[in-house]
Amino acid sequence: MESDLFQKISDRIKELNLEERLDINIIYKAYSVAKKAHDGQMRESGEPYLMHPVEVALILIEMGLDTDTICAALLHDVVEDTEYTYEDVKREFNVEIANLVEGVTKLGKIEYKSKEEQQAENIRKVLLAMAKDVRVILIKLADRLHNMRTLKYLPPEKQKSKAQETLDIYAPVAHRLGISKIKWELEDSALRYLKPEEYYDLVNKVSKKRAERENEINEIIQILSEKLSQSGIKADIDGRPKHFYSIYRKMYQKNKNFDQIFDLLAIRVVVDTIKDCYAALGIAHTLWKPIPGRFKDYIAMPKPNMYQSLHSTVIGPKGQPFEIQIRTWDMHRTAEYGIAAHWKYKEGIQEDEIEDRLKWLREIMEYQKNAKDAKEFMETVKIDLFSDEVFVFTPKGTVIDLPIESTPLDFAYRIHTDIGNRCVGAKVNGKMVPLDYKLVTGDIVEIITSNTTKGPSRDWLNIVKSSQAKAKIRQWFKKSFKEENVEKGRESFEKEIKRQGLIYSEAMKSEYIDAVLKKFNFSQIEDMYSSIGSGAFSANQIVSRIKEEIRKNDQSEEHLFKLPEKQETSKKDIIHPGKKPGIVVKGEKDLLVRFAKCCNPVPGDDIVGFITKGRGVSIHRKDCKNFQSLANFEPERVVDASWTGEHTADFLADIQIEAYDRHGLLADITNALTNAKLALKAMNARAGKNNMAIIGLTLQVNNTMQLDKIMKDFRKLQGIIDVYRN
């Protein structure tokens, strides 16, 4: 029997005259590997497992695919279900076949939180592989088609699960790729297992109705054939039965009775040229009266899945409507096999044509990055894949395709993100319409925008139909919330800097901030603020890390400063002879001192020393948060220090003012400084929330008495909320 299976492949290749294009020897090699790999494996039907990959290969041969794809079809289950690996396939054949097999391999061995998440990840992988090579999904569709043909051997619950997944994902994918021959069979098979009563009721009714109308259809075909022949138009005409799922959707989605479905049979006319298509349409309209609004020109405006044809519904000889579809042979092949009929692995199609036809796939993969969970991703996939579309026009005549029931908002976001965000109204066919107006094919849409609008409303997410519009609205809100979080996080960060006793300008030095951004994987400082504002990180975490970086920087010298041996208690205090006279460090001789920038001590402050590595003693205020952190970490480095003698030198002190913003505030502050005869060395100011102003000053003072006095003067000014030292 197994030798007969390859004979089926060989015979079919010869019947379709594909011997020159397909390498039968490599295909036989793939068959032999699959036969060996699946040896002893059986399907639920009791047949050898090898039957399945052979049937999948036959479906793809029928579609006219290439040697690598046929080989991958024969091998598509060996990596998943046998001992063979990706490397084995690559070594035995080539990397292209191995990649196709890998792309089709399901994620069945991975554990997920939910069935929906497993399905989403499976489809996500298929779409990613498909974006690299469209043949992956063609193999997957053929695989699913044969599984649906043998679904009767599975338990009822699995039948329903597979059928629902087929209807949700695989049939819409087949439609998007224009492969109607597979799409129709998948839909009808799925309906059979999901709604068996309705399905068999339809089969019975259609059978009776078709018998009643067969004579009428044959009469119509004969009349049209004669007229076309008289006009010199060579045509192939046949009756096309309407598929069960299509009838089911019309009945249950549009609330129609079976007797109200008139187009159970359609006439398909296939001619040689586009000119003949329009000529045949004219002849049909002279024979039978067309129904207004039921003509569609998909030749001038092809569907996104490449489908082209003329559709017209006319009144037949006995008063019953029927549909006529007219197309060329090339259009017919594309209608049957879609992207498989013309693609980059065959002659006659350019690379950019394939990319354009798969633009919808790129969009799905872009939107899935922003999906918050598997459920949202699956909703996006289903919206983008389902078949119904409307075609509308811009005022300049450009055709825009959108999902059925799309609104002007969907149209606006399809044109440009900014058009959507600034949309305040819309005109359809010259008349104002509400933003939730449902567009229909042929509408001319004009979007009214405003530069003063606040942006999208959350209600828009319930109005728009396309996943593109939903994604762009969500992005807008995400960005808006980020701006709020940035401001909130910035305030928390600055308060924490103040609470921990750091000087803002010191803490914001690039060497410290860059280290913190790298540590927490922030690409820029706004991301840090946003994370603090959203609660992902605390301000304490960030500022503590900055303090650690400051400590590292202050103590990083070529050699480690060693503490001197303990001095006798009788040693006298030493007056430091450095830059700023008047500091006494107890117990140590000839130490260089410097004033810590984190707290800028001023004569009159309670001070303390901290021995650094190679940079002498750093003098801090005792209430300095930075010093307290250092002292807790290395208490052995703490030494007593105090002021001594008169102080005529100038010291820098940083203070911060919080006030209600008002006209003349800065002028009042500078006037107070002038009256106090104090020099202003630096100033920075920014606006806070609730009409607040936050002003930082660096002043030149002699001692704490001067500093206390100017701070009291500031507190007396109108609108001042708080004044404090950094």
Side-chain angles (χ1 to χ4, degrees):
M1 179 181 177
E2 291 180 350
S3 59
D4 293 339
L5 290 178
F6 185 75
Q7 192 62 46
K8 288 176 69 175
I9 294 174
S10 179
D11 290 346
R12 194 62 184 136
I13 289 173
K14 291 175 183 177
E15 288 170 13
L16 296 172
N17 298 315
L18 298 175
E19 298 100 317
E20 291 185 7
R21 203 165 62 77
L22 296 178
D23 190 329
I24 193 71
N25 293 323
I26 295 179
I27 292 173
Y28 179 74
K29 182 181 177 182
Y31 168 82
S32 300
V33 170
K35 177 182 176 182
K36 181 180 177 182
H38 293 299
D39 184 40
Q41 292 182 352
M42 308 296 286
R43 284 175 63 81
E44 295 287 342
S45 62
E47 298 171 320
Y49 193 90
L50 186 63
M51 178 78 74
H52 172 65
V54 167
E55 289 297 329
V56 173
L58 286 169
I59 292 169
L60 295 169
I61 290 170
E62 187 80 28
M63 293 168 66
L65 291 222
D66 62 312
T67 299
D68 285 350
T69 309
I70 306 306
C71 290
L74 288 165
L75 300 166
H76 78 273
D77 277 335
V78 299
V79 172
E80 183 179 5
D81 297 334
T82 77
E83 297 299 319
Y84 274 77
T85 66
Y86 169 88
E87 292 299 328
D88 292 333
V89 177
K90 181 180 174 181
R91 183 176 58 254
E92 292 273 351
F93 296 92
N94 58 46
V95 68
E96 216 166 307
I97 292 174
N99 286 342
L100 288 172
V101 172
E102 177 71 5
V104 180
T105 300
K106 298 187 295 293
L107 304 180
K109 297 177 183 178
I110 299 179
E111 295 291 330
Y112 295 104
K113 294 178 183 177
S114 66
K115 185 176 180 181
E116 189 166 47
E117 185 175 347
Q118 184 174 6
Q119 186 191 51
E121 288 301 321
N122 196 5
I123 294 303
R124 198 191 302 261
K125 181 182 179 184
V126 170
L127 293 176
L128 282 167
M130 179 180 165
K132 296 178 183 177
D133 193 330
V134 72
R135 293 175 294 179
V136 168
I137 200 65
L138 299 180
I139 299 170
K140 192 70 177 173
L141 287 172
D143 171 66
R144 179 50 60 107
L145 181 59
H146 183 251
N147 282 334
M148 291 301 291
R149 288 174 178 174
T150 58
L151 201 60
K152 63 182 179 181
Y153 298 107
L154 295 182
E157 63 274 11
K158 284 193 175 182
Q159 290 177 349
K160 287 186 179 296
S161 174
K162 292 283 185 186
Q164 190 63 58
E165 187 179 54
T166 297
L167 205 56
D168 286 345
I169 301 298
Y170 293 100
V173 165
H175 169 80
R176 269 294 194 169
L177 295 177
I179 311 172
S180 59
K181 196 163 187 177
I182 288 181
K183 169 190 177 263
W184 292 330
E185 187 175 346
L186 289 176
E187 288 177 339
D188 284 357
S189 298
L191 182 64
R192 175 184 173 187
Y193 290 100
L194 290 173
K195 302 286 183 180
E197 290 185 12
E198 291 88 338
Y199 173 81
Y200 287 109
D201 182 53
L202 275 179
V203 170
N204 184 47
K205 287 179 178 177
V206 168
S207 178
K208 291 180 180 178
K209 195 82 171 180
R210 186 178 293 159
E212 293 173 8
R213 298 201 60 195
E214 239 172 34
N215 291 335
E216 183 181 352
I217 290 297
N218 290 335
E219 180 184 342
I220 290 169
I221 291 175
Q222 184 177 352
I223 293 171
L224 184 57
S225 182
E226 289 175 359
K227 287 293 183 180
L228 292 176
S229 181
Q230 290 171 11
S231 300
I233 299 174
K234 184 181 177 182
D236 184 271
I237 309 173
D238 64 2
R240 181 186 67 82
K242 199 169 188 70
H243 293 270
F244 298 122
Y245 184 71
S246 178
I247 299 171
Y248 172 82
R249 285 187 66 190
K250 274 196 173 183
M251 290 175 61
Y252 290 92
Q253 289 186 2
K254 297 184 179 180
N255 296 318
K256 289 188 175 184
N257 294 323
F258 181 79
D259 293 335
Q260 295 175 291
I261 309 296
F262 298 115
D263 54 345
L264 293 177
L265 288 175
I267 303 299
R268 180 186 291 141
V269 181
V270 185
V271 296
D272 292 331
T273 67
I274 293 177
K275 180 181 177 182
D276 289 345
C277 288
Y278 289 99
L281 177 70
I283 291 171
H285 282 180
T286 60
L287 291 171
W288 303 289
K289 185 176 180 180
I291 297 176
R294 295 298 302 272
F295 169 66
K296 296 174 182 176
D297 188 345
Y298 293 121
I299 293 178
M301 291 190 302
K303 289 186 176 183
N305 64 4
M306 304 171 290
Y307 179 86
Q308 288 184 288
S309 189
L310 297 175
H311 290 197
S312 183
T313 304
V314 299
I315 303 297
K318 297 182 179 179
Q320 293 289 339
F322 70 94
E323 186 180 58
I324 300 178
Q325 298 176 358
I326 307 171
R327 62 184 69 148
T328 67
W329 285 104
D330 281 343
M331 293 174 191
H332 182 59
R333 279 189 290 272
T334 300
E336 294 284 294
Y337 297 116
I339 203 166
H342 305 282
W343 63 336
K344 64 182 176 182
Y345 302 100
K346 297 174 66 175
E347 297 178 0
I349 193 164
Q350 299 298 318
E351 182 85 16
D352 56 351
E353 290 183 65
I354 284 290
E355 293 304 312
D356 188 56
R357 290 167 184 175
L358 292 178
K359 183 180 177 182
W360 60 273
L361 173 64
R362 313 280 180 248
E363 291 176 350
I364 288 179
M365 299 318 299
E366 183 63 31
Y367 303 151
Q368 66 92 15
K369 294 177 185 176
N370 296 314
K372 62 184 179 182
D373 53 30
K375 183 177 181 181
E376 186 176 298
F377 172 63
M378 291 304 294
E379 287 175 358
T380 299
V381 171
K382 290 175 184 180
I383 288 171
D384 275 68
L385 293 183
F386 272 124
S387 57
D388 291 336
E389 296 141 345
V390 293
F391 298 86
V392 296
F393 296 89
T394 67
K396 293 183 178 180
T398 303
V399 180
I400 304 294
D401 65 287
L402 295 166
I404 197 76
E405 296 188 348
S406 285
T407 66
L409 285 173
D410 292 284
F411 177 90
Y413 278 104
R414 179 63 61 87
I415 298 301
H416 196 279
T417 302
D418 286 343
I419 300 296
N421 289 340
R422 294 190 291 113
C423 176
V424 293
K427 289 183 179 180
V428 174
N429 304 324
K431 296 180 179 179
M432 290 295 296
V433 297
L435 292 179
D436 60 356
Y437 171 86
K438 298 294 187 289
L439 298 174
V440 297
T441 295
D443 280 344
I444 300 173
V445 187
E446 179 183 354
I447 300 299
I448 301 168
T449 61
S450 170
N451 289 326
T452 60
T453 181
K454 293 181 179 179
S457 161
R458 284 205 171 273
D459 293 337
W460 288 10
L461 288 169
N462 299 320
I463 293 175
V464 296
K465 180 67 176 177
S466 65
S467 60
Q468 181 190 42
K470 287 181 185 290
K472 289 182 176 180
I473 292 169
R474 287 192 184 106
Q475 286 172 4
W476 187 90
F477 280 111
K478 185 177 180 181
K479 182 180 178 182
S480 297
F481 283 132
K482 182 177 180 180
E483 290 174 356
E484 289 182 18
N485 285 334
V486 165
E487 182 59 31
K488 182 180 176 183
R490 191 197 308 272
E491 290 190 5
S492 297
F493 175 74
E494 291 177 359
K495 285 181 179 178
E496 186 63 21
I497 283 180
K498 168 190 167 184
R499 191 186 72 79
Q500 295 201 30
L502 294 179
I503 297 174
Y504 183 79
S505 58
E506 180 75 9
M508 295 303 289
K509 283 184 176 180
S510 60
E511 60 262 36
Y512 307 145
I513 291 297
D514 289 347
V516 169
L517 295 182
K518 184 177 180 181
K519 169 69 178 177
F520 291 99
N521 295 318
F522 298 129
S523 59
Q524 54 188 354
I525 196 165
E526 283 75 16
D527 295 336
M528 182 186 81
Y529 291 145
S530 179
S531 294
I532 295 172
S534 67
F537 290 93
S538 69
N540 178 269
Q541 282 178 282
I542 305 295
V543 175
S544 295
R545 184 68 189 186
I546 290 175
K547 287 175 68 175
E548 188 178 333
E549 292 298 326
I550 292 173
R551 187 179 63 79
K552 284 181 185 176
N553 186 276
D554 283 348
Q555 299 174 26
S556 59
E557 294 295 334
E558 291 182 1
H559 62 279
L560 180 66
F561 179 85
K562 295 182 179 179
L563 286 172
E565 295 181 3
K566 283 276 184 179
Q567 302 294 318
E568 297 295 330
T569 55
S570 60
K571 295 289 184 182
K572 65 178 181 179
D573 294 345
I574 302 299
I575 298 178
H576 169 63
K579 293 181 180 178
K580 300 271 187 201
I583 295 291
V584 173
V585 179
K586 293 186 177 181
E588 308 296 345
K589 289 183 178 181
D590 301 324
L591 293 181
L592 176 69
V593 301
R594 63 187 182 87
F595 292 95
K597 294 180 180 179
C598 55
C599 56
N600 279 349
V602 171
D605 287 327
D606 289 333
I607 57 175
V608 68
F610 186 85
I611 300 174
T612 66
K613 294 177 182 179
R615 299 176 71 179
V617 177
S618 178
I619 303 300
H620 294 260
R621 298 196 329 243
K622 282 188 176 179
D623 63 353
C624 173
K625 301 291 184 182
N626 194 27
F627 163 73
Q628 291 171 3
S629 176
L630 292 169
N632 289 334
F633 188 70
E634 294 179 293
E636 70 275 10
R637 295 181 180 275
V638 177
V639 293
D640 292 336
S642 62
W643 303 99
T644 183
E646 296 295 325
H647 305 287
T648 57
D650 293 322
F651 295 82
L652 296 180
D654 291 299
I655 66 172
Q656 188 139 309
I657 300 172
E658 294 181 3
Y660 291 111
D661 197 6
R662 62 175 174 81
H663 181 70
L665 176 62
L666 290 179
D668 288 348
I669 289 172
T670 54
N671 285 337
L673 288 171
T674 301
N675 294 335
K677 297 180 180 180
L678 291 179
L680 175 64
K681 306 305 289 183
M683 173 187 287
N684 64 74
R686 64 179 178 83
K689 283 188 174 181
N690 302 320
N691 200 36
M692 289 274 292
I694 300 170
I695 303 164
L697 304 176
T698 300
L699 307 180
Q700 192 170 292
V701 297
N702 294 132
N703 49 50
T704 54
M705 292 177 60
Q706 282 187 330
L707 195 57
D708 290 342
K709 184 177 184 307
I710 191 61
M711 291 173 67
K712 288 179 182 178
D713 291 343
F714 287 149
R715 291 189 183 100
K716 294 175 183 177
L717 298 177
Q718 178 187 344
I720 299 296
I721 299 171
D722 195 8
V723 182
Y724 50 87
R725 288 181 69 181
N726 276 328

